[in-house]
């Protein structure tokens, strides 16, 4: 492991000892590294399949298999799919079918309805298409239910319900060269042909469970946070879990999800046990209602301007004194300097990289010291406070924000069961065991996150056969091959949305909109020219692969020092990422330039 002590000391006295902090971080990480890495988790298939049953839309729709033709099929009805559909509709396409296994639009916001759920990026820039739909969120950080309703409003506004197929899973995609169309098959026997297909599966679609010995023996009530069982807990996402008043509830996991639902469980359960392996960093939230006067003052184009302003602050490198006003002005933008330790970005500063890295590390130590001091200031029990302090760098895990999470541990009916980094030891028929002590619970809830580490072709979840029957899994067997992360040679008219081979920032929906708008421009151009097959050449794909390799951020040094989690492949980070390393601002500019140059012409084939 690289050791920073060799670097020159910073000027001026420090109010803390950086070497001691580095040692502590390293010890905490080492304690958590497991030889089984990602294999420690259990997937929600087979015997655990019931963890992913849909509790919100029950019963299967009685419909005959569809055999029809669409202009476009979009796989995934979350914000990515909705943005693709909306932008394609604006580009003039008429018949658009969104297919999703969920019972409605919303994607991750359809599935995640746990109490307390909110977006953690400001809603005015996170919720897409606000101006198009004519809506303003009621809160700076909107509750999940408002976000889900906004997804539905997009569906209504763009007329997407008419052809939508919910509770339906795509089982295969097959390109037909004679008709120059895709055949989309589903688990309901549908056979839909379409000229254009967009894949937008989303990163958080498969919940995972911890591989704790005995997990299959538990006989009490149990569910994953992404399938909240309100029939059991009572109440709704806003709270009031009146079914838990006489229940002992156990919650495993203390990530971004747990931070939001713990205050509700703590308030309503007879007793809540929170089983912690690694504490999250918890910063101030300061949510507030939208000021109606401010909302009335907004002028057309405001959402794009605000979103761009946020991106500039979290991923740009405005020279000192040159930075425009910080419109969002929250924990993300004020901690931007720390985010830059991990997130790529344009850098115009003349500072030596090593000096910059060192300054970033010191700022990081200060930020984390501040967050640890906040724990002491809020949590009364000194043992609990000590256990709730995060000992790692700020961007090692998803930072969280809450003004009620830490406070919940001051309640007499809430117990923090810290596992000292080792995780829960065992689960029995009625209890969770930590350090030899059994905690009996009536209900066990898993806030243990999602499986996001599968290789890209596998993540799609069904076979894709392109020209001459070539399988995408084969084309990508040595790693994904794309132009701009959007399409691949040999797979015409098929577009990918997500984080592959491009540059995303913390506002993921912004990146999705840039991609969806780009795809819509490509399709509109093909329609205008009467072109029926669009795909990058093998050469364009190879060159983009070279660009990715040349620019991919070297996050290894940073991530290798981090406590394990999905950011660093459970403590085993790859040497390089597969994103565009010059950052999202440069990536958006590159796409724009490509469109205004002769790029569009190059992908129009026949
Ligand atoms: P995470 O993967 O972030 O957290 C999983 C938790 O389960 C961790 O605390 C983990 O501990 C714990 N865990 C796993 N195995 C064990 C075990 N054997 N014993 C004890 N604990 C265990 O999942 P989340 O659902 O919290 O968040 C996933 C992502 O979803 C976030 O990173 C964020 O991007 C997104 N999200 C966004 C929200 C928003 O407001 N926009 C809200 C919620 C989630 P350890 O850390 O030690 O691995």
């Amino acid at each position: 492991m690289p050791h920073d002590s060799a670097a020159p000391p910073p000027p001026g006295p420090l109010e803390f000892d950086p070497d001691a902090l580095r040692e502590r971080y390293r010890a905490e990480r080492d304690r958590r590294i497991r030889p089984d890495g990602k294999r420690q988790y259990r997937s929600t298939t087979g015997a655990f399949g019931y963890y992913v049953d849909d509790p919100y839309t029950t019963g299967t729709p009685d419909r005959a298999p569809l055999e029809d033709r669409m202009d476009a099929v979009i796989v995934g009805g979350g914000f990515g799919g909705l943005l693709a559909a909306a932008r394609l509709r604006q580009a003039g396409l008429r018949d658009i079918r969104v297919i999703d296994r969920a019972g409605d639009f919303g994607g991750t916001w359809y599935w995640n309805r746990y109490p307390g759920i909110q977006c953690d990026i400001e809603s005015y820039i996170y919720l897409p298409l606000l101006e198009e739909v004519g809506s303003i969120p009621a809160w700076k950080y909107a509750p999940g239910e408002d976000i889900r309703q906004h997804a539905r409003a997009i569906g209504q506004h763009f007329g997407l319900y008419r052809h939508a197929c919910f509770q339906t899973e795509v089982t295969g995609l097959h390109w037909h060269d004679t008709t120059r169309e895709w055949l989309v098959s589903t688990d309901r026997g549908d056979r839909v042909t379409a000229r254009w297909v967009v894949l937008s599966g989303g990163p958080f679609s498969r919940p995972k469970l911890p591989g704790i010995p005995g997990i299959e023996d538990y006989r009490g009530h149990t569910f994953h946070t992404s399938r909240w069982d309100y029939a059991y807990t009572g109440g709704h996402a806003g709270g009031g879990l009146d079914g838990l008043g006489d229940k002992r509830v156990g919650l495993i996991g203390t990530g971004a999800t747990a931070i939001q639902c713990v205050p509700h469980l703590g308030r309503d359960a007879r007793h809540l046990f929170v089983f912690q392996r690694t504490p999250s960093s918890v910063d101030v939230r300061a949510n507030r209602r939208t000021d109606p006067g401010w909302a009335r003052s907004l002028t057309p184009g405001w959402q794009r301007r605000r979103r761009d302003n946020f991106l500039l602050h979290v991923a740009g490198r405005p020279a000192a004194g040159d930075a425009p006003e910080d419109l969002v002005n929250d924990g993300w933008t004020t901690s931007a300097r720390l985010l830059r330790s991990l997130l790529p970005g344009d850098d115009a500063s003349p500072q030596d990289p090593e000096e910059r890295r060192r300054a970033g590390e010191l700022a990081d130590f200060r930020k984390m010291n501040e967050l640890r001091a906040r724990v002491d200031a809020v949590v009364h029990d000194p043992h609990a406070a000590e256990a709730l302090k995060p000992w790692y760098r700020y961007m090692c895990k998803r930072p969280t924000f809450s003004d009620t999470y830490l406070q919940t541990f001051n309640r007499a009916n809430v117990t923090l069961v810290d596992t000292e980094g080792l995780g829960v030891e065992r689960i029995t028929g009625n209890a969770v065991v930590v350090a030899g002590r059994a905690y009996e619970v009536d209900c066990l809830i898993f806030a243990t996150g999602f499986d996001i580490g599968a290789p890209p072709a596998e993540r799609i979840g069904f076979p894709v056969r392109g020209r001459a029957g070539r399988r995408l899994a084969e084309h990508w067997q040595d790693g994904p091959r794309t132009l701009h992360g959007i399409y691949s040679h040999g797979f015409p008219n098929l577009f990918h949305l997500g984080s592959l081979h491009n540059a995303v920032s913390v506002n993921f929906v912004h990146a999705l909109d840039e991609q969806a708008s780009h795809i819509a421009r490509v399709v509109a151009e093909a329609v205008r020219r009467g072109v029926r097959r669009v795909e990058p050449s093998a050469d364009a794909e190879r060159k983009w692969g070279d660009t990715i390799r040349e620019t991919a951020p070297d996050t290894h040094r940073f991530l290798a020092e981090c406590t394990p989690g999905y950011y660093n492949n459970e403590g085993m980070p790859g040497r390089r990422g597969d994103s565009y390393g010059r950052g999202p601002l440069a990536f958006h500019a590159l796409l724009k330039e490509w469109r205004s140059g002769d790029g569009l012409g190059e992908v129009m084939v026949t």
Side-chain angles (χ1 to χ4, degrees):
M1 291 298 154
H3 197 287
D4 295 329
S5 305
L14 288 171
E15 68 283 15
F16 55 87
D17 177 356
D19 283 333
L21 280 177
R22 277 186 212 111
E23 281 310 314
R24 175 79 194 257
Y25 286 10
R26 205 159 290 158
E28 294 284 344
R29 178 204 60 192
D30 291 350
R31 191 134 57 107
R32 289 170 171 81
I33 296 274
R34 297 171 45 136
D36 52 356
K38 257 174 27 184
R39 283 178 290 110
Q40 69 182 278
Y41 294 105
R42 302 282 291 257
S43 87
T44 42
T45 52
F48 293 112
Y50 64 91
Y51 276 100
V52 288
D53 287 349
D54 184 346
Y56 318 117
T57 310
T58 45
T60 43
D62 184 18
R63 68 168 176 83
L66 297 166
E67 286 226 7
D68 57 5
R69 194 194 165 281
M70 291 281 124
D71 294 326
V73 162
I74 290 162
V75 185
F79 281 143
L82 285 165
L83 276 160
R87 297 301 181 205
L88 287 173
R89 171 65 41 86
Q90 289 172 328
L93 261 53
R94 217 187 48 186
D95 293 328
I96 299 175
R97 169 164 296 142
V98 180
I99 302 180
D100 199 303
R101 72 167 72 89
D104 203 339
F105 291 119
T108 198
W109 299 100
Y110 173 88
W111 295 109
N112 286 278
R113 303 192 196 185
Y114 56 80
I117 182 170
Q118 288 177 357
C119 55
D120 66 357
I121 301 289
E122 193 198 62
S123 56
Y124 316 128
I125 56 166
Y126 178 80
L127 271 63
L129 302 162
L130 284 173
E131 290 190 71
E132 287 82 346
V133 172
S135 166
I136 287 281
W139 291 87
K140 186 171 169 80
Y141 304 95
E145 184 56 16
D146 293 7
I147 302 174
R148 196 173 71 79
Q149 292 303 337
H150 181 65
R152 303 190 71 229
I154 295 171
Q156 307 276 7
H157 183 84
F158 288 95
L160 301 174
Y161 276 96
R162 183 162 164 241
H163 291 306
C165 286
F166 296 120
Q167 295 179 282
T168 303
E169 282 198 47
V170 171
T171 50
L173 280 183
H174 205 133
W175 172 256
H176 287 257
D177 225 5
T178 38
T179 55
R180 289 182 168 44
E181 286 187 326
W182 286 97
L183 173 67
V184 184
S185 315
T186 78
D187 64 348
R188 302 212 166 267
D190 306 311
R191 292 170 63 80
V192 183
T193 53
R195 169 115 324 137
W196 313 102
V197 173
V198 182
L199 302 184
S200 182
F204 297 129
S205 58
R206 185 148 283 283
K208 68 176 164 34
L209 295 169
I212 299 168
I215 184 173
E216 59 282 341
D217 299 335
Y218 185 66
R219 293 289 164 262
H221 201 78
T222 178
F223 56 89
H224 187 275
T225 45
S226 66
R227 303 289 189 277
W228 196 270
D229 189 354
Y230 284 105
Y232 179 84
T233 66
H236 49 81
L241 308 172
D242 51 17
L244 297 182
D246 59 350
K247 301 286 191 298
R248 296 160 302 175
V249 177
L251 181 84
I252 298 187
T254 48
T257 297
I259 299 309
Q260 295 184 332
C261 67
V262 156
H264 293 261
L265 290 169
R267 190 198 51 210
D268 296 333
R270 185 179 115 208
H271 201 95
L272 173 67
F273 296 97
V274 179
F275 298 96
Q276 170 180 276
R277 188 164 69 178
T278 310
S280 283
S281 69
V282 190
D283 208 343
V284 172
R285 174 72 305 174
N287 199 2
R288 57 169 188 265
R289 279 194 178 278
T290 302
D291 170 6
W294 170 78
R296 275 194 303 276
S297 74
L298 296 169
T299 53
W302 71 266
Q303 191 179 24
R304 177 172 290 277
R305 290 193 294 276
R306 195 173 181 89
R307 229 171 44 177
D308 291 347
N309 177 276
F310 178 80
L311 189 61
L312 189 67
H313 280 275
V314 296
R317 301 283 194 271
D322 251 12
E325 183 195 356
D326 175 2
L327 297 175
V328 172
N329 191 21
D330 69 357
W332 291 111
T333 55
T334 53
S335 301
R337 196 153 158 223
L338 308 179
L339 304 183
R340 284 175 204 147
S341 312
L342 184 60
L343 301 174
D346 304 316
D347 206 330
S349 105
Q351 207 180 15
D352 168 65
E354 192 57 27
E355 221 177 279
R356 195 168 53 238
R357 195 194 57 73
R358 188 136 175 93
E361 189 195 33
L362 289 180
D364 197 315
F365 285 148
R366 284 205 177 91
K367 178 75 194 177
M368 293 303 283
N369 281 343
E370 183 190 305
L371 294 177
R372 287 185 285 264
R374 181 174 187 240
V375 180
D376 278 329
V378 171
V379 179
H380 303 157
D381 171 13
H383 294 292
E386 209 41 48
L388 285 162
K389 288 179 189 166
W391 296 99
Y392 46 79
R393 287 188 61 173
Y394 187 66
M395 280 304 288
C396 282
K397 283 190 178 289
R398 175 88 176 184
T400 76
F401 306 87
S402 172
D403 299 332
T404 48
Y405 174 75
L406 294 170
Q407 290 77 352
T408 303
F409 294 98
N410 292 333
R411 298 181 62 101
N413 68 323
V414 176
T415 306
L416 175 71
V417 185
D418 182 44
T419 65
E420 300 192 346
L422 302 175
V424 168
E425 187 179 309
R426 196 157 35 89
I427 294 177
T428 68
N430 65 348
V432 177
V433 182
V434 174
R437 176 164 171 201
Y439 298 84
E440 284 187 17
V441 290
D442 304 299
C443 172
L444 183 55
I445 305 173
F446 291 99
T448 44
F450 303 86
D451 179 8
I452 59 162
E458 212 176 287
R459 236 177 284 155
I460 291 171
F462 48 82
V464 176
R465 286 188 177 274
R467 275 194 293 111
R470 184 159 167 80
R471 287 173 38 237
L472 187 66
E474 201 181 302
H475 189 61
W476 285 3
Q477 66 186 350
D478 298 324
R481 288 151 71 180
T482 74
L483 173 62
H484 301 148
I486 286 178
Y487 31 25
S488 294
H489 179 66
F491 298 84
N493 302 3
L494 176 68
F495 305 102
H496 305 270
L497 283 189
S499 54
L500 178 67
H501 273 188
N502 54 48
V504 301
S505 183
V506 289
N507 186 3
F508 188 51
V509 178
H510 183 182
L512 293 174
D513 198 7
E514 291 289 337
Q515 295 165 34
S517 302
H518 182 79
I519 291 167
R521 291 287 297 278
V522 171
V523 169
E525 184 62 14
V527 172
R528 194 182 69 77
R529 296 186 189 199
V531 165
R532 294 195 299 157
R533 180 156 73 88
V534 166
E535 65 174 293
S537 66
D539 193 43
E541 194 180 74
R542 190 180 44 71
K543 283 189 180 134
W544 187 247
D546 291 344
T547 305
I548 292 296
R549 269 185 295 282
E550 281 157 22
T551 68
D554 186 2
T555 50
H556 184 266
R557 182 172 177 183
F558 179 88
L559 290 174
E561 292 284 333
C562 282
T563 190
Y566 76 85
Y567 276 19
N568 68 351
N569 192 29
E570 300 299 332
M572 301 170 192
R575 292 231 69 86
R576 276 187 178 268
D578 59 2
S579 62
Y580 177 73
R582 297 198 179 107
L585 291 159
F587 183 66
H588 300 166
L590 179 145
L591 288 186
K592 198 169 169 196
E593 197 181 312
W594 181 89
R595 287 192 303 259
S596 57
D598 51 5
L600 281 166
E602 284 168 16
V603 292
M604 306 288 143
V605 183
T606 46

